[in-house]
Amino acid sequence: MLKSFADVLDIYNGKNQKQVEDIDGVYPIYGSGGIMGYANDYICPESTVIIGRKGSINKPIYVTSPLWNVDTAFGLVAKKDILNPKYLYYFCEYFDFERLNTTVTIPSLTKANLLKIRIKVPELNVQANIVERLDKVKYIIQKCQEELKLLDNLIKSRFVEMFGDPISNPFSWSKVPLDECLESIENGKSFVCNSLPRAGGYPAILKLSAVTYGVYKPEENKEIIDENDFVESAEVHDGDLLFTRKNTPELVGMAAYVASTSPKLMMPDLIFRLNTKNNCNKIFLWKLINHDLFRKEIQNIASGSAKSMSNISKERLGKLSIYLPPIELQNQFAAFVHQVDKLKLAG
């Protein structure tokens, strides 16, 4: 049976944490990104689903203990005689809250829109069975993610082993502006789109989330309204290096290498394509841009306040200073990354 959120849960508004924050507090203070501190008071009871009101609106968090939620996060509390709280969490984890976003800058949700969401509500024993099965699947996924994390850390360690710290440059590699490594920086395009991903091979534009976390995710796309609006020059191809020119201050300037992609997916105007010269391997540049030791350099060339979307211009990106090891060494590193990626697929 389909029911609205208004029928099956209560929404608790968050409040500013400054009035209750206490280093010795017993209740966690949650924002949309996780724990932000501790307090001696709480707003939401145990078994609450936290969902961002602004910012990370597509990343629900399930909290088993009472908590204080900040003013940029809602607390969704299931009516337990109707809805299993963990069942609500799994629904939220797979629901695309971005379709409810009506802003053009920082993604936002309203209480009114949340209450209109409809959820399938079977009998409680059926919900419990679904939760048990999904818990098992989630455990397996977590173990796989731990393995992938270890492989990612292996790549980061190998990068520093081969090239040294990109800031201190212990091997004294040549330092050059990024412009000397690039043939061009290509812009994406802006389109009127549907809110849902494309069906089949219909033309679509990538969402920013397709690149945001440093791994190319072609499934993160929005179908364009008119297929005749497809722009061939904005199409993404195998071997592309994509760069987020606009994002939150923490995530701006992340890059993703396109090992393979399906046709008729286009870059949005928030993403650049970096076309490298023969002196720079794209995989080397990809891993340099995203490396923890280099992220501050990327963030420093972004403009915009801490409360708004940051932006990186072509001019500033071109002037970014990077070290440039010999291309033969870069190619050896790229081959190593390919081998690790094969292990990921095999796992």
Side-chain angles (χ1 to χ4, degrees):
M1 180 183 297
L2 283 174
K3 293 181 178 290
S4 69
F5 269 19
D7 295 327
V8 298
L9 58 81
D10 296 307
I11 298 180
Y12 288 62
N13 291 325
K15 298 179 182 178
N16 191 300
Q17 74 268 32
K18 290 183 180 179
Q19 58 184 299
V20 295
E21 197 161 11
D22 184 342
I23 194 171
D24 297 318
V26 295
Y27 301 109
I29 298 173
Y30 271 87
S32 59
I35 295 177
M36 302 175 63
Y38 291 88
N40 280 318
D41 195 5
Y42 67 90
I43 296 173
C44 300
E46 71 279 356
S47 304
T48 292
V49 178
I50 294 295
I51 189 75
R53 183 175 69 84
K54 286 187 176 181
S56 300
I57 62 175
N58 248 352
K59 293 186 175 181
I61 304 170
Y62 184 69
V63 186
T64 56
S65 62
L67 66 110
W68 183 282
N69 52 315
V70 300
D71 53 4
T72 56
F74 289 123
L76 310 184
V77 180
K79 297 177 181 178
K80 294 182 181 178
D81 59 333
I82 305 173
L83 189 65
N84 183 308
K86 199 73 177 287
Y87 179 86
L88 170 64
Y89 164 70
Y90 281 124
F91 173 85
C92 291
E93 193 170 43
Y94 292 99
F95 184 82
D96 184 13
F97 288 96
E98 285 190 6
R99 73 175 69 172
L100 304 179
N101 174 45
T102 57
T103 65
V104 294
T105 54
I106 297 176
S108 301
L109 293 175
T110 66
K111 194 171 183 178
N113 283 340
L114 282 174
L115 290 173
K116 294 176 184 176
I117 294 173
R118 295 177 68 79
I119 178 174
K120 187 176 181 180
V121 184
E123 296 295 327
L124 284 170
N125 63 320
V126 176
Q127 294 180 44
N129 182 261
I130 292 171
V131 166
E132 182 180 1
R133 291 162 63 186
L134 289 176
D135 279 344
K136 291 177 180 177
V137 171
K138 192 174 186 70
Y139 175 79
I140 294 170
I141 291 173
Q142 286 174 340
K143 289 300 179 184
C144 291
Q145 288 174 336
E146 289 172 9
E147 291 182 12
L148 293 176
K149 182 71 173 177
L150 289 173
L151 292 172
D152 285 337
N153 288 339
L154 177 63
I155 290 174
K156 289 180 180 179
S157 297
R158 183 61 173 159
F159 185 95
V160 175
E161 179 185 329
M162 292 182 69
F163 307 118
D165 185 308
I167 305 303
S168 63
N169 190 16
F171 301 139
S172 299
W173 306 120
S174 298
K175 299 273 286 196
V176 299
L178 186 57
D179 266 344
E180 292 191 14
C181 303
L182 299 178
E183 292 285 358
S184 63
I185 301 175
E186 294 183 52
N187 293 315
K189 303 292 182 182
S190 179
F191 295 90
V192 178
C193 303
N194 294 314
S195 59
L196 297 176
R198 71 176 181 177
Y202 195 89
I205 189 164
L206 294 175
K207 294 160 62 173
L208 191 59
S209 53
V211 178
T212 292
Y213 299 101
V215 178
Y216 179 60
K217 298 181 178 180
E219 68 277 7
E220 294 287 319
N221 67 72
K222 294 185 290 186
E223 185 178 79
I224 64 173
I225 291 176
D226 186 349
E227 64 179 326
N228 293 317
D229 288 338
F230 174 73
V231 177
E232 189 174 345
S233 63
E235 185 177 16
V236 178
H237 304 288
D238 295 357
D240 279 350
L241 181 59
L242 305 181
F243 180 90
T244 59
R245 71 167 185 85
K246 195 170 187 178
N247 210 325
T248 63
E250 297 78 18
L251 295 171
V252 68
M254 289 293 286
Y257 179 76
V258 182
S260 64
T261 190
S262 51
K264 294 192 175 180
L265 286 175
M266 295 175 289
M267 299 183 299
D269 59 355
L270 301 181
I271 290 176
F272 288 146
R273 174 165 37 216
L274 308 184
N275 299 313
T276 57
K277 294 180 179 178
N278 292 334
N279 63 348
C280 185
N281 185 293
K282 285 182 182 177
I283 291 178
F284 162 78
L285 184 57
W286 168 38
K287 294 302 181 181
L288 171 63
I289 287 170
N290 292 348
H291 204 289
D292 299 341
L293 296 172
F294 197 68
R295 286 297 301 152
K296 194 68 177 178
E297 299 298 302
I298 299 289
Q299 292 164 352
N300 284 343
I301 64 172
S303 60
S305 68
K307 295 183 179 180
S308 66
M309 296 282 274
S310 294
N311 183 63
I312 296 176
S313 67
K314 282 186 181 181
E315 182 181 10
R316 288 193 176 193
L317 182 58
K319 292 179 180 178
L320 176 69
S321 178
I322 68 168
Y323 62 11
L324 193 64
I327 189 63
E328 295 80 11
L329 200 60
Q330 295 180 45
N331 292 341
Q332 287 177 30
F333 173 73
F336 174 78
V337 173
H338 283 306
Q339 288 302 316
V340 173
D341 284 345
K342 287 180 182 179
L343 291 176
K344 290 180 180 180
L345 292 173

